[in-house]
Amino acid sequence: MTLAFVVNSGSSSIKWELLEAESGESVRRGIVERIGEAGGDAADHRQAMTSIIGMLGAEHPVVIGHRVVHGGDLFSAATVVTPEVEAAIEKLSSLAPLHNPSNLAGIRAAQVAFPGIPNVAVFDTAFHQSLAPAAYTYAIDAQVAADHSVRRYGFHGTSYQYVSRRAAEVLERPLGDLRLIVFHLGNGASACAIAGGRSVDTSMGMTPLEGLVMGTRSGDLDPGALFHLAREAGLGTPELDTLLNRRSGILGLSGHGDMRDLVESMKAGDAASRLAFDVYVHRLRHYLGAYIAQLGGVDAVVFTAGVGENSPDVRAGALAGLGGLGIHLDAARNARRSPEPRRISTDDSPVAVLVVPTNEELEIARQSLAALG
Ligand code: ADP
């Protein structure tokens, strides 16, 4: 048994899972919440980690894998944590001020709580380091961009790696031969064009705000709208940040940030919910078309994460009327619920459509073990 301990450390919570890396079996999992808050589970990350040790029992992991949101252009693979790696994660906090410091707090707490067990950082951005300059460069003043690290990095990379490998297994074809378009649709949502197992384009950019419509985030928006709101509505940087990250997306359009509630309300006849759903789907189709062109065709379209795995309405909307592109959804297969990876296109559809449940914890566990060599 090779056990890996996977840590997702946020500002006020630590999600953890102990898993058997080869079989993928989850041995134990939990979450310590409201860290540092009155009445919370722990005063700080270190105390939280100590309480987690108590829950692990006799099992000892051989590695601790940490989800780290931003690896900038410094990390293109999972990396064993050294003092230099810690310093780099800290330095990259300017790119992910809400996430990297909390991720680092989890790493430091684990070093104290589990002396002698190696820690590995697994970056959300690493998979997208394969993007070509034409795909990751924003067309702004090159010197300003270079001085401030302004470029597309992309996120959800761990999920894309897991899902693309599983998709190849379902298709019974080598990943190296496949052109995939994967939609990771959770509260945060993004799309990725994958050729031969490598990311060639992705919809999130310098930050996780660009691209698809999300639960509370706007996705793509004319930056000119921000200048307009600053001038006309007097909004400052914090207000604009809150508007686009927390009060936009399907929540901002309809009052429903949860896709289940949105679909229910839409089906009950609510016009704002209808529009929010239509905008969400319109954006999915925008990226689908773009990525078919970037890839020069597509072998499979893959849906994953909360919405992608569970919403037949979203999948049907995204792919309706695309027979001309070789995409034929099977309505009955699409409607069926299952926790298993599955094909939801018709048998004779030239492009396969799959639902592949993601498992970021397992991917972090496996990449962490691989990083140990
Ligand atoms: P996170 O990005 O926080 O990891 P998840 O991947 O768990 O999020 O996805 C959360 C989203 O999945 C929510 O918007 C939720 O409404 C949606 N979801 C979960 N189950 C369903 C369902 N049966 N139908 C539609 N949406 C669903």
Side-chain angles (χ1 to χ4, degrees), residues 186-188 257-260 305-307 310-311 337:
N187 286 311
D258 188 299
M259 186 55 80
R260 276 168 294 207
V307 175
N310 296 299
S311 178
R337 298 185 56 82

Side-chain angles (χ1 to χ4, degrees), residues 18 45 63 108 114 158 201 243 301 315 359 369:
L18 186 68
H45 285 74
V63 68
R108 294 192 165 140
F114 300 91
T158 312
D201 209 348
L243 176 71
V301 177
R315 296 190 299 252
N359 190 340
L369 279 172

